[in-house]
Amino acid sequence: MKIAHVALWTRDLDAQAAFWQRYFDGTPNEKYLSKNRPGFASYFITLADGPTVELMTLPELPDAPDNREFCGWAHIALNVGDKQAVDALSAKAKEEGILKSGPRMTGDGYYEAIILDPDGNMIEIVAD
């Protein structure tokens, strides 16, 4: 069994798709505009390995809770290969002002950094 895709709500669908292309070489499909649910639009972003990422939007999407620690998904972790890739993406994220936590060794054995997507969601970029 494997995960087919993970889904993420976003306010700015095109900015989110561009982020996944810029940082993870994701390839988006053609934007889907629902005929049955007015305002719903989505992209599926195909990554080289792992599950596809579905980006979804709706008008007037409510804010996420202010507290990042709540019941539900906390973050997504993407293995980007090696420490040099983590360092390179971290440097890029720092230049763009979206680096939350610089590269470090974690207690569970990952070399990781944390970056924020356009909506402020945490993405761990890791090498093991």
Side-chain angles (χ1 to χ4, degrees), residues 65-120:
D66 290 333
N67 186 343
R68 288 279 180 202
E69 295 179 346
F70 59 93
C71 186
W73 296 107
H75 62 265
I76 186 170
L78 298 175
N79 190 320
V80 296
D82 56 25
K83 290 181 178 183
Q84 291 79 14
V86 171
D87 291 342
L89 284 173
S90 296
K92 184 177 186 177
K94 185 174 183 178
E95 288 176 15
E96 294 186 13
I98 61 169
L99 181 65
K100 179 167 178 65
S101 176
R104 66 184 181 93
M105 284 302 298
T106 65
D108 53 2
Y110 286 100
Y111 183 71
E112 80 172 28
I114 301 172
I115 64 175
L116 302 175
D117 75 7
D119 291 309

Side-chain angles (χ1 to χ4, degrees), residues 16-87:
Q16 195 69 255
F19 169 82
W20 283 87
Q21 287 178 285
R22 188 169 64 252
Y23 275 87
F24 306 113
D25 294 323
T27 303
N29 69 335
E30 185 175 328
K31 184 188 284 187
Y32 168 72
L33 302 172
S34 177
K35 294 176 184 164
N36 298 323
R37 191 172 183 194
F40 179 88
S42 68
Y43 283 112
F44 277 92
I45 307 294
T46 302
L47 304 175
D49 287 319
T52 301
V53 178
E54 181 181 12
L55 305 175
M56 310 175 301
T57 195
L58 277 171
E60 301 179 26
L61 196 60
D63 286 331
D66 290 333
N67 186 343
R68 288 279 180 202
E69 295 179 346
F70 59 93
C71 186
W73 296 107
H75 62 265
I76 186 170
L78 298 175
N79 190 320
V80 296
D82 56 25
K83 290 181 178 183
Q84 291 79 14
V86 171
D87 291 342

